[in-house]
């Protein structure tokens, strides 16, 4: 857990200074004592430090000056502080110095040295051009003061050599801060040019020329101005070689501008949209992956430093930065400085503390320096909240201890590991421990093995199995360990027994891998009986696994069918004129037996978000856009398992899609709940499972387009060809045609919101390109589509939260479907029969298709009765199975369910008797056929379903 490094203290100070009534009271003094005790006993409690500073500032200028200074020193030693914190401190110290000038015994030089040390610290935490500029201005002002005092040169603190040393350090530290680095360079340049104007020599001219050429090699926003300055400099001091010097410099500038061109897109994005950790990660990758000839490690270092200013508490950025420095074999002083800042920025990161220990060991630092890092890491229970972080630091320290001992004298190592394991098990009980890699436990098992304590080692494996029994990797690791210790004694049964136990775990996550290993091992070492037994056991497990997966697939299909049904309303909510015309034409072409929704069923309130049924609210359905995250940066060979392992503890993954982006893989992960999404977002900037890359995780909002009104023949390739140019397409989803064969819309997801927005702006309300087909001459020939009315695309950002739920009588359960109505029964009689249950809104009796039926308006023996409210419709269900004339009425709630013509035909073909048990006569048969043709609206219409599938669905439903 990262510490919030927001600089609260300066804002608090401003608030107190502006509040004339703020006074330091006795209650404040009492609170001050409590806070002081808190920060001394629980020193990493950041909030207590902030409250302490607030109270000390409240006491007023000079009142508790020493205590305030001490509190700031304590806090800056524990946490990485930003410029606001340092500037507030510097402001107070400068004000104190000014106030003391009139006091007797005031020592100007002593106070100036204290300020000089504080300024040097202020630029050490987070590299800031503004902070360096303030530091330099302070030095120059002090230099001017000493000049006015006519101090002798050997007594001056702020001489030219000191200023130049700080200027060079500032230029080196900020030179690659592309947008603003010129603010420091210009000061340095002006200083050197002033010196040349007063006293110049060939050596000093050559030195300034080298500085200019070095600057021209560094990418910066004002490189053209720098080149112009250099041209002026050459004209003034080396005009004889002007052409030669400018040609040489121009080559340098051309190369630098190429570098600038390569990274300008990142600079533009950051300038326009502000800091974005995902963009910083891509920026870093771009600088690292540059060709070796143009690769510049200092450019990468500066991007890391700028990213850290943006997100100082992001442990993965620090981790990546440290690994980069180690890979580039940077000097120890640089690496140690970065590590010192990293653990103050993220004191609860075991990864960073482990780096610190290993780095000091790698560079052969004294034992007390390595021990100091270990003690700080375990100090004050910093790592007690995270088992994985704790075990990483413990493993790094134990490795150091082992390296300091000899194989013949490793007692100290074993004693320490025993102590750590006891403490670890006390702090993190196995029942709720989150330690996916169990690093410390594996070290403990190795230690027990080397001591020959195999029984205790097996007990540790059993202890771990309580938490990791469902993980195939766990069993494979234990199997490998058993082979190591047992096979030298000719024991193959014990190792085989481990895999046999794993096969017995029905919910094993990687059954195929374990099964393969088990069968290979048994075939190599088992008896014929053991091999056959293993084959049987593995087949039983795979039957269970396949059945479970089939059930899950059915459930998933059912969810998707339900979700696709809800998407119909989104189509209806669109108001485009062309869309309405096309839908009417398409719907008009398919009316045979299909239940049309009456105009009264459609809500006219476009702003309605929900439909009400019996006082209950119908909630929105699937929300892919808001319940999905995009994870970028996985290795090119990453699999779904790698992604699932990365998000292992974040909740149940509903769907997962991987897309290769050339040098990496991007994953789109959908969850069931908002809580799972928030949990997944905490994985942002974490290292991938193989520790090879940092994964950027962000919400997938505004990345999906809802597209409709394209040619009816359009397929996925047509959509992709139309939208590919705007960015990387992650997925294209068409609705299921089982709900409506005439649906013509789809969803297209990009990897970024910017691509989706760009596509919407350009293509919405644009003319859809006609379909084309290739011929043998590799040319394209337009289809007949242009002869029809041209389509105008509807392209919108998909937002399920704005999706209108289905509304109307059917969805509000106010409409009844009535069958077996006597042919002679009139609408008025039906109204009279049903009206006793409540007010009727409408009655619809479909007219028969024969010429006589059409002429006399005879209905087909079924119809729809719509009540004005749901409660009345529910009561009217009492009429079900009521005898009317020679018929028995069937009264059920109407449903919006499309027909299945194939199934309907298969169930009615050759049947003359009603499936409802009615009489076998011609009118009944006609009624039955009509009812079957309208089965899309019947609640109890039966389609042919294979028995095996039916059983699976019944099992899934239970």
């Amino acid at each position: 857990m990262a510490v919030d490094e927001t600089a609260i203290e300066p804002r608090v100070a401003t608030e107190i200074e502006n509040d004339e009534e703020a006074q330091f009271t006795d209650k404040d003094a009492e609170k001050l004592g409590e806070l002081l005790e808190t920060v001394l006993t629980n020193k990493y409690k950041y909030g207590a430090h902030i409250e302490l500073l607030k109270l000390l500032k409240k006491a007023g200028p000079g009142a508790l000056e020493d205590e305030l200074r001490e509190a700031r020193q304590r806090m800056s030693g524990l946490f990485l502080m930003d410029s606001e914190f340092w500037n507030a401190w510097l402001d107070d110290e400068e004000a104190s110095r000014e106030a003391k000038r009139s006091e007797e015994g005031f020592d100007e030089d002593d106070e100036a040295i204290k300020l000089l040390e504080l300024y040097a610290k202020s630029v050490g935490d987070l590299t800031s051009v503004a902070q360096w500029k303030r530091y330099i201005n302070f030095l120059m002002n002090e230099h001017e003061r000493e000049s006015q005092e006519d101090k002798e040169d050997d007594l001056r603190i702020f001489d030219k050599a000191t200023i130049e040393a700080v200027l060079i350090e500032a230029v080196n530290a900020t030179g690659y801060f592309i947008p603003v680095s010129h603010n420091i360079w210009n000061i340095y340049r002006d200083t050197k040019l002033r010196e040349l104007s007063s006293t110049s020599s060939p050596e000093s001219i050559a030195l300034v020329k080298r500085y200019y050429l070095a600057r021209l090699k560094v990418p910066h926003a004002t490189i053209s101005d720098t080149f112009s300055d250099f041209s002026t400099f050459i004209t003034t001091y080396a005009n004889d070689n002007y052409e030669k010097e400018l040609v040489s410099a121009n080559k340098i500038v051309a190369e630098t501008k190429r570098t600038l061109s390569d990274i300008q897109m990142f600079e533009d994005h950051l300038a326009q949209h502000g800091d974005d950790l995902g963009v910083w990660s891509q920026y870093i990758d771009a600088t690292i992956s540059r060709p070796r000839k143009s690769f510049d490690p200092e450019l990468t270092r500066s991007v890391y430093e700028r990213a850290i200013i943006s997100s100082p508490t992001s442990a993965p950025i620090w981790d990546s930065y440290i690994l980069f420095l180690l890979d580039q074999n940077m000097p120890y002083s640089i690496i140690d400085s970065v590590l010192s800042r990293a653990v103050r920025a993220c004191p609860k990161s075991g990864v960073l503390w482990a780096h610190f220990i290993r780095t000091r060991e790698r560079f052969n630092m004294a034992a007390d320096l390595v021990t100091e890092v270990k003690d700080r890491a375990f100090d004050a229970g910093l790592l007690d909240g995270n088992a994985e972080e704790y075990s990483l630091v413990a493993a790094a320290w134990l490795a150091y201890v082992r390296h300091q001992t000899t194989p013949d004298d490793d007692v100290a190592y074993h004693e320490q590991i025993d102590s750590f394991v006891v403490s670890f098990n006390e702090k993190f009980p196995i029942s709720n421990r989150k330690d996916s890699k169990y690093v410390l436990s594996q070290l403990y098992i190795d230690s027990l093995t080397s001591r020959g304590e195999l029984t205790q080692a097996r007990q540790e494996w059993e202890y771990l199995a309580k938490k990791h029994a469902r993980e195939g990797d766990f069993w494979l690791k234990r199997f490998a360990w058993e082979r190591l210790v047992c096979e030298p004694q000719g024991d193959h049964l014990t190792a085989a027994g481990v895999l046999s136990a794993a096969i017995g775990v029905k919910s094993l996550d990687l059954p195929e891998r374990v099964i393969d290993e088990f069968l290979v091992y048994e075939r190599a070492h088992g008896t014929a009986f053991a091999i056959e037994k293993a084959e049987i056991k593995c087949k039983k497990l795979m039957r269970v696994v396949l059945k479970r997966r089939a059930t899950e697939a059915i459930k998933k299909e059912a969810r998707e069918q339900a979700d696709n049904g809800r998407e119909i309303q989104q189509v209806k909510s669109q108001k485009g004129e062309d869309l309405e015309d096309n839908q009417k034409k398409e719907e008009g072409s398919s009316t045979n037996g299909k239940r049309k929704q009456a105009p009264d069923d459609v809500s006219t309130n476009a702003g309605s978000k929900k439909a009400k049924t019996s006082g209950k609210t119908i909630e929105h359905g699937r929300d892919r856009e808001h319940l999905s995250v995009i994870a970028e940066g996985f290795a090119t060979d990453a699999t779904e398992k790698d992604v699932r392992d990365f998000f292992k503890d974040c909740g149940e993954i509903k769907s997962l899609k991987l897309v290769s982006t050339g040098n990496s893989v991007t994953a789109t992960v959908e969850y069931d709940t908002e809580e799972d999404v928030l949990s997944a977002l905490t994985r942002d900037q974490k290292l991938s499972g193989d520790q090879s890359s940092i994964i950027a995780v962000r919400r997938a909002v505004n990345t999906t387009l809802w597209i409709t009104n394209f040619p009816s023949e359009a397929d996925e390739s047509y959509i992709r060809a139309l939208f590919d140019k705007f960015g990387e397409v992650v997925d294209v989803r068409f609705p299921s045609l089982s709900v409506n064969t005439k649906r013509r819309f789809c969803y297209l997801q990009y990897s970024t919101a910017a691509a989706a927005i760009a596509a919407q702006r350009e293509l919405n309300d644009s003319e859809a390109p006609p379909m084309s087909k290739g011929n043998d001459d590799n040319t394209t020939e337009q289809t007949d589509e242009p002869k029809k009315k041209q389509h105008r695309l509807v392209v919108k950002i998909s937002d399920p939260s704005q999706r209108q739920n289905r509304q109307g009588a059917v969805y509000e359960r106010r409409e009844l479907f009535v069958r077996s109505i006597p042919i002679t029964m009139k609408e008025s009689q039906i109204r009279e029969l049903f009206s006793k249950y409540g007010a009727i809104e409408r009655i619809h009796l479909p007219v028969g298709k024969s010429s006589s039926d059409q002429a006399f308006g005879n209905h087909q023996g079924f119809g729809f009765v719509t009540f004005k409210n749901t409660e009345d419709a529910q009561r009217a269900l009492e009429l079900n199975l009521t005898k009317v004339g020679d018929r028995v009425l069937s009264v059920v709630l109407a449903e919006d369910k499309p027909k299945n013509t194939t199934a309907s035909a298969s169930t009615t073909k050759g049947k003359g008797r009603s499936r409802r048990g009615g009489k076998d006569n011609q009118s009944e048969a006609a009624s039955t056929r009509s009812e079957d043709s309208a089965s899309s609206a019947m609640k109890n219409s039966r389609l042919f379903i294979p028995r095996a599938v039916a059983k699976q669905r019944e099992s899934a439903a239970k």
Side-chain angles (χ1 to χ4, degrees):
M1 178 180 176
V3 178
D4 182 9
E5 293 297 331
T6 304
I8 300 174
E9 187 273 336
R11 292 201 293 272
V12 172
T14 304
E15 179 183 344
I16 294 170
E17 289 167 2
N18 294 335
D19 187 354
E20 297 178 358
E21 297 181 0
Q23 295 181 354
F24 193 79
T25 63
D26 292 340
K27 188 177 181 179
D28 291 331
E30 182 180 346
K31 179 68 174 177
L32 191 65
E34 295 173 358
L35 287 171
L36 186 59
E37 182 179 356
T38 300
V39 298
L40 292 175
T41 56
N42 190 2
K43 56 187 180 182
Y44 280 98
K45 193 169 183 179
Y46 186 83
H49 285 276
I50 293 298
E51 287 298 314
L52 180 60
L53 292 180
K54 179 178 178 179
L55 278 180
L56 290 170
K57 288 285 290 182
K58 188 176 180 181
L64 295 171
E65 185 177 290
D66 292 338
E67 290 80 358
L68 179 59
R69 183 180 297 114
E70 183 180 350
R72 281 169 164 158
Q73 288 172 345
R74 184 187 304 113
M75 193 172 185
S76 63
L78 295 170
F79 305 104
L80 191 74
M81 308 309 296
D82 66 5
S83 295
E84 288 187 66
F85 172 88
W86 289 108
N87 284 330
W89 192 353
L90 288 167
D91 289 342
D92 287 347
E93 293 295 343
E94 288 180 343
S96 173
R97 177 192 183 193
E98 192 64 32
K100 289 178 180 178
R101 275 202 169 96
S102 59
E103 295 179 3
E104 186 177 350
F106 173 73
D107 189 334
E108 186 78 60
D109 289 346
D110 185 50
E111 294 296 324
I113 290 173
K114 289 179 182 177
L115 267 175
L116 179 62
E117 292 173 349
L118 186 59
Y119 267 107
K121 285 183 178 179
S122 72
V123 295
D125 274 5
L126 296 173
T127 304
S128 162
V129 170
Q131 203 65 37
W132 275 106
K133 191 172 181 179
R134 177 171 179 172
Y135 183 14
I136 293 166
N137 288 336
F138 165 76
L139 293 175
M140 290 184 167
N141 290 337
E142 291 299 312
H143 174 75
E144 184 64 24
R145 177 184 60 80
E146 288 185 336
S147 298
Q148 292 176 358
E149 293 174 356
D150 291 331
K151 272 193 176 183
E152 296 181 10
D153 291 343
D154 56 345
L155 296 178
R156 289 192 174 193
I157 301 171
F158 303 94
D159 56 6
K160 289 183 178 181
T162 301
I163 295 174
E164 180 162 0
V166 173
L167 274 170
I168 291 174
E169 186 181 359
V171 169
N172 291 334
T174 64
Y176 285 82
F177 280 43
I178 293 172
V180 292
S181 64
H182 58 276
N183 290 312
I184 301 297
W185 162 258
N186 290 347
I187 297 174
Y188 181 62
R189 176 204 62 196
D190 292 345
T191 301
K192 301 307 294 181
L193 291 178
R194 279 195 302 268
E195 292 176 1
L196 281 181
S197 64
S198 58
T199 56
S200 63
S201 64
E203 293 77 13
S204 60
I205 292 172
L207 181 63
V208 174
K209 188 182 84 169
R210 285 201 301 272
Y211 290 151
Y212 262 117
L213 293 176
R215 177 62 176 167
L216 291 173
K217 292 179 180 179
V218 176
H220 57 282
T222 58
I223 189 169
S224 297
D225 294 339
T226 305
F227 183 72
S228 178
D229 292 342
F230 178 68
S231 174
T232 302
F233 168 78
I234 294 297
T235 301
T236 305
Y237 296 101
N239 195 41
D240 292 343
N241 295 322
Y242 178 84
E243 185 174 349
K244 179 181 178 182
E245 295 289 356
L246 265 291
V247 169
S248 177
N250 195 48
K251 292 180 180 179
I252 296 173
V253 171
E255 182 62 32
T256 306
K257 285 187 174 181
R258 277 194 289 271
T259 300
L260 272 173
S261 176
D262 292 342
I263 60 179
Q264 193 60 47
M265 58 179 291
F266 301 106
E267 293 291 344
D268 291 343
H269 188 284
L270 292 167
Q272 294 172 12
H273 304 289
D275 290 324
D276 182 330
L277 198 53
V279 176
W280 282 117
S281 298
Q282 296 176 39
Y283 196 171
I284 290 167
D285 290 342
T287 62
I288 291 176
S289 59
R290 288 179 61 77
R292 179 176 298 183
K293 183 179 179 181
S294 57
F295 170 69
D296 187 347
E298 290 303 320
L299 174 60
T300 306
R301 271 192 66 196
S302 73
V303 179
Y304 269 118
E305 290 288 350
R306 292 170 64 192
I308 285 168
I309 294 175
S310 167
S311 302
T313 57
S314 174
I317 284 289
W318 285 105
D319 177 39
S320 176
Y321 187 16
I322 292 160
L323 291 173
F324 170 77
L325 296 175
L326 291 168
D327 182 54
Q328 295 299 314
N329 295 314
M330 291 288 179
Y332 169 75
S333 59
I334 292 177
I335 300 173
D336 192 71
S337 173
V338 172
L339 279 164
S340 179
R341 292 189 291 142
V343 295
R344 285 191 293 128
C346 308
K348 294 186 178 182
S349 171
V351 174
L352 300 179
W353 286 110
H355 276 315
F356 213 168
I357 292 172
R358 287 193 295 267
T359 300
R360 289 200 167 177
E361 178 188 3
R362 173 184 176 181
F363 286 93
N364 298 316
M365 293 296 105
D368 59 330
L369 293 177
V370 184
T371 305
E372 175 212 359
V373 175
K374 184 264 296 183
D375 291 342
R376 286 174 57 195
F378 290 108
D379 189 20
L382 270 177
L383 304 172
D384 290 354
N386 191 306
E388 286 197 9
E389 306 290 355
Y390 185 100
S391 61
L392 286 173
V393 182
W397 169 251
L398 290 168
Y400 172 73
V401 173
R402 187 177 70 249
H403 298 155
Q404 307 309 307
T405 60
T406 61
D408 298 330
D409 184 22
D410 55 1
V411 177
Y413 168 71
H414 294 305
E415 287 179 349
Q416 290 227 22
I417 197 169
D418 290 346
S419 174
F420 266 109
V421 169
V422 170
S423 176
F424 184 70
N425 289 335
E426 289 175 353
K427 295 177 186 294
F428 309 102
I430 193 69
S431 59
N432 57 5
R433 180 189 301 174
K434 292 184 178 180
D435 184 19
S436 60
K437 297 183 175 62
Y438 40 94
V439 175
L440 185 57
S441 298
Q442 291 187 79
L443 287 177
Y444 182 47
I445 290 171
D446 290 343
S447 172
L448 293 172
T449 304
S450 66
R451 288 180 269 174
E453 300 177 13
L454 301 184
T455 300
Q456 193 169 349
R458 287 193 175 93
Q459 290 176 354
E460 184 66 16
W461 280 116
E462 291 296 330
Y463 185 64
L464 290 173
K466 295 178 181 179
K467 187 70 175 179
H468 304 284
R470 294 180 57 191
E471 301 170 13
D473 281 338
F474 165 79
W475 291 104
L476 293 174
K477 288 176 182 177
R478 183 174 179 183
F479 168 68
W481 179 82
E482 290 288 1
R483 291 189 65 179
L484 181 68
V485 300
C486 295
E487 285 188 356
Q489 283 75 42
D491 178 8
H492 299 289
L493 292 177
T494 303
V498 170
L499 293 181
S500 180
I503 298 298
V505 179
K506 303 300 183 185
S507 55
L508 198 64
D509 64 349
L510 297 173
E512 288 88 352
R513 285 184 57 192
V514 176
I515 286 172
D516 289 346
E517 196 72 35
F518 186 31
L519 293 178
V520 168
Y521 191 72
E522 284 289 18
R523 288 163 185 161
H525 303 287
T527 63
F529 174 76
I531 295 171
E532 292 297 330
K533 188 176 180 180
E535 294 273 6
I536 293 170
K537 194 168 187 177
C538 290
K539 286 187 180 298
K540 285 182 177 179
L541 175 62
M542 284 310 299
R543 277 199 294 270
V544 172
V545 171
L546 293 175
K547 184 178 179 180
R548 183 178 74 234
R549 290 175 179 172
T551 301
E552 292 171 353
I554 291 173
K555 289 181 178 179
K556 180 180 179 182
E557 181 183 1
R559 286 197 304 266
E560 289 179 349
Q561 291 289 342
D563 295 337
N564 286 332
R566 295 186 186 97
E567 289 167 0
I568 295 176
Q569 187 61 29
Q570 185 163 353
V571 179
K572 295 180 179 179
S573 68
Q574 304 304 314
K575 302 299 182 182
E577 180 180 350
D578 291 340
L579 175 60
E580 291 181 357
D581 291 343
N582 289 328
Q583 284 180 328
K584 288 176 182 177
K585 290 178 182 178
E586 291 165 356
E587 290 172 0
S589 65
S590 178
T591 58
N592 183 21
K594 183 175 180 180
R595 165 76 174 114
K596 289 186 180 180
Q597 188 178 40
D600 303 301
D601 294 346
V602 182
S603 171
T604 58
N605 182 6
S608 174
K609 297 291 189 297
K610 300 174 182 176
K612 293 184 178 179
T613 304
S614 302
K616 296 180 181 179
T617 301
I618 300 175
E619 300 295 339
H620 291 297
R622 189 170 185 176
D623 189 350
R624 288 185 180 92
E625 286 72 16
H626 291 95
L627 295 180
S628 297
V629 298
I630 293 176
E632 299 174 315
F634 288 100
T636 53
D637 59 349
T639 63
E640 283 196 11
K641 179 186 179 302
D642 296 327
V643 178
R644 290 182 182 275
D645 287 346
F646 181 79
F647 290 106
K648 190 172 186 179
D649 299 320
C650 299
E652 182 180 353
I653 293 177
K654 191 169 186 177
S655 67
L656 172 62
K657 179 174 284 291
L658 302 184
V659 176
S660 176
T661 59
N663 57 357
S664 66
V665 166
T666 297
T668 303
V669 186
E670 182 188 0
Y671 287 96
D672 272 321
T673 66
E674 172 68 12
E675 290 74 15
D676 293 344
V677 173
L678 294 174
S679 179
L681 290 173
T682 64
R683 299 291 294 158
D684 183 36
Q685 302 306 311
K686 300 292 184 185
L687 279 173
S688 58
D690 58 3
Q691 306 288 302
S692 64
S693 60
I694 292 177
I695 307 302
V697 183
R698 67 178 189 278
R699 283 185 182 273
V701 293
N702 296 332
T703 60
T704 301
L705 295 175
W706 181 81
I707 308 163
T708 189
N709 217 32
F710 41 76
S712 56
E713 300 86 354
D715 54 11
E716 182 174 339
S717 60
Y718 174 89
I719 297 297
R720 284 186 178 272
L722 191 57
F723 286 83
D724 263 342
K725 62 182 178 180
F726 298 100
E728 177 192 342
V729 176
V730 174
D731 190 21
V732 177
R733 304 191 308 271
F734 281 84
S736 171
L737 296 181
S738 63
V739 177
N740 185 343
T741 58
K742 293 296 181 179
R743 300 169 78 183
R744 192 170 77 245
F745 69 92
C746 70
Y747 292 94
L748 180 142
Q749 184 178 9
Y750 284 107
S751 61
T752 64
I757 293 170
Q760 182 202 20
R761 287 175 178 171
E762 182 164 331
L763 295 181
N764 186 42
D765 200 34
S766 66
E767 190 174 286
M771 293 292 295
S772 60
K773 59 183 179 180
N775 55 26
D776 296 339
D777 298 325
N778 293 326
T779 60
T780 59
E781 178 183 323
Q782 291 188 348
T783 65
D784 294 335
E785 187 70 32
K787 298 177 182 178
K788 305 175 184 177
K789 181 178 179 180
Q790 287 296 320
H791 300 281
R792 299 199 73 81
L793 291 174
V794 177
V795 181
K796 297 182 180 295
I797 299 293
S798 177
D799 185 359
S801 67
Q802 301 300 314
R803 182 185 299 159
Q804 294 182 355
N805 284 305
R806 296 181 177 186
Q807 299 172 353
V810 174
Y811 309 113
E812 294 170 13
R813 304 175 73 80
R814 297 188 287 109
E815 185 168 278
L816 303 180
F817 176 64
V818 185
R819 293 184 297 161
S820 295
I821 303 172
I823 298 298
T824 58
M825 194 173 188
K826 304 300 181 183
E827 180 178 331
S828 58
Q829 295 173 297
I830 296 173
R831 184 178 295 275
E832 181 181 357
L833 177 64
F834 281 88
S835 62
K836 62 184 178 181
Y837 294 98
I840 293 177
E841 185 175 285
R842 65 186 296 271
I843 294 176
H844 175 57
L845 300 173
V847 177
K849 297 180 181 179
S850 67
S851 57
S852 60
D853 286 343
Q854 293 287 327
F856 296 102
N858 296 330
H859 61 74
Q860 300 184 58
F862 68 91
F864 299 89
V865 179
T866 304
F867 285 85
K868 289 188 176 180
N869 62 66
T870 304
E871 291 77 8
D872 295 343
Q874 295 292 326
R875 286 197 301 270
L877 290 173
E878 294 176 4
L879 289 174
N880 186 38
L881 301 181
T882 300
K883 187 173 181 179
V884 177
D886 61 347
R887 299 287 186 92
V888 177
L889 294 181
S890 170
V891 182
V892 297
L893 287 171
E895 290 188 353
D896 182 45
K897 187 175 181 182
K899 71 173 185 176
N900 186 321
T901 55
T902 303
S904 180
S906 67
T907 56
T908 59
K909 184 177 181 180
K911 293 185 179 180
R913 180 177 294 277
S914 168
R915 291 180 295 163
R916 296 177 288 105
K919 295 181 179 180
D920 188 9
N921 54 42
Q922 186 175 359
S923 63
E924 184 69 3
S927 176
T928 301
R929 286 193 296 272
S930 298
E931 292 165 27
D932 285 341
S933 69
S935 61
S936 63
M938 299 179 185
K939 182 175 182 179
N940 60 347
S941 63
R942 298 182 180 181
L943 306 181
F944 174 73
I945 301 176
R947 183 176 299 175
V949 176
K951 286 184 177 180
Q952 283 185 331
R953 290 185 175 175
E954 290 174 2
S955 175
K958 292 179 182 178

